[in-house]
Amino acid sequence: MSRVSTSSNHVVYAVVASTFFVGFGGGVVFPILPNLGEVLGISAFMVGVILSANRWTRLVANGPAGVLVDRIGTRKPFVAGLAIEGLATFGYVIAIESALPELWFVIARVTWGIGSSLVFATAYTITADVSEASSRGTSMGIVRAGITFGFPAGMVLGGIISEVYSNVAAFILAASFAGLASIIAYFIVPETHVESVDSSISPWDFETTLPALTVGLVNFGLYFAYIGVLFSTLVLYLEVESLTLSLEFAGYGIDYGEQGTSGLLMAVSALSGAVFTISGGKISDAAGARMPVLLAFLATSCAGFVVLTVAPSFGAVILACGLIGAGQGGVGGPLTALLADLTPEERMGRAMGTNNIFGDVGGGLGPLISLPFANAVGYDVLYALSAIVPLLAGAVLVAGIYAYTGSLSPTVEESIV
């Protein structure tokens, strides 16, 4: 094994910069592609297939990506993943100019999914490798925040550049940022994980230990409730409750429809999540224990869904989105840090791959269940049941950690394997 000096904070910041810049490509497609459906003659169904293709690709690629990291190290897969995402973003340009845009967009999104599997598996593994237990929560939170901010930044970038210049210009700019990300990684990020290639590791040798499965199930619940329920149903909920935003500035009134209002509320939630992603990890480091912080933020997420259920007013929805975002973000740093604490360094790639699989399943399964469920029984019932998900995640977390460590709240030192 090879561990770089923990004083090398520039490695963590290089990972943050790389994941932030490449994240533009993930977000830039969302404000553009739905409108391109009509312009290019792409059906609504195919637009949905294109937008979700990367997530379903990751379900297959996450596990092997984590194994690959443990087998050959972090540096090559990280740089390669960033470069692949850059090529995928440039594939959007080819798709627009092609006579078969659906095919090229699907290829680009599948390619993006492969690249992002490599990036996600390596980014957290690199951070775990270069950080000590006493600062791991902070480092994980910072990296997660970088990944979190990149996606909405790409959505804003895509919307503005496409309107001021063109769709092609937006995609080329996003691809350029992705190229910059791979250059930063190539010149700054060293090998942190292995000293030599281990050819004995099977590509399907996933991490199925109790800590990996426990943390993975918590991640599943969080993504199910956050991406699968809140983000998938918010615009429809606002329409049903007739909750939209009207602003007046300098004598001019601006009325937002359900789509514009839901976008602003998602931004509130994402910003809250990014802030608490960093602070949650830092608090867990200062406390010397992950469990109290994790349970507190899971309760915060639960409170957000409760507010959304019992007080259907615009102010309550803002508060609810802020609380749910804070809960999701606050769990992120300590949860990945806990997984790193409880996982041998040589199996960290597998553990992160397994964790990513659970998250993608939750995020992908949520919309399939939440949308028809809300139409059948109503949004109040849906959000009330969603409030239970973080509580169940907390129960799974406590049971799994106690069974593995013999303590309800092990200290960071007790968690190190």
Side-chain angles (χ1 to χ4, degrees), residues 78-99:
F78 187 57
V79 174
L82 293 169
I84 290 170
E85 287 184 297
L87 289 174
T89 309
F90 189 74
Y92 302 151
V93 178
I94 299 175
I96 291 179
E97 303 295 335
S98 171

Side-chain angles (χ1 to χ4, degrees), residues 34 126 129 131 240-241 273 280 321 341 351-352 378:
I126 291 169
D129 288 341
S131 61
V240 169
E241 297 292 343
C321 289
D341 293 341
M352 286 302 173

Side-chain angles (χ1 to χ4, degrees), residues 6 29 31 44-45 54 61 65 108 111 168 184 212 245 259 266 277 294 308-309 319 323 332-333 369 397:
T6 54
V29 68
F45 173 77
N54 67 316
T111 304
V168 172
I184 291 172
L245 179 63
Q259 292 186 27
M266 289 179 189
T277 291
L294 288 168
L308 201 58
T309 301
L319 175 61
L323 288 172
I369 296 176
L397 181 64

Side-chain angles (χ1 to χ4, degrees), residues 55-56 59 223-224 227-228 358-369:
R55 184 174 294 277
W56 297 115
L59 286 179
Y223 275 87
F224 181 92
I227 302 296
F358 276 99
D360 281 334
V361 171
L365 188 62
L368 299 178
I369 296 176

Side-chain angles (χ1 to χ4, degrees), residues 132-136 284-290 337-338 341-342 405 409-417:
E132 296 289 353
S134 59
S135 62
R136 184 171 291 148
S284 75
D285 288 339
R290 315 290 185 199
L338 179 65
D341 293 341
L342 297 173
T405 67
S409 181
T411 65
V412 172
E413 290 77 12
E414 291 172 340
S415 301
I416 301 299
V417 297

Side-chain angles (χ1 to χ4, degrees), residues 5 11 45 117 154 175 195-196 208 257 314 336 381 414:
S5 172
V11 175
F45 173 77
S117 290
E195 295 177 347
S196 60
T208 57
F314 191 75
T336 50
V381 177
E414 291 172 340

Side-chain angles (χ1 to χ4, degrees), residues 46-68:
M46 277 305 302
V47 170
V49 170
I50 291 167
L51 289 175
S52 62
N54 67 316
R55 184 174 294 277
W56 297 115
T57 301
R58 285 207 307 264
L59 286 179
V60 178
N62 278 333
V67 173
L68 183 67

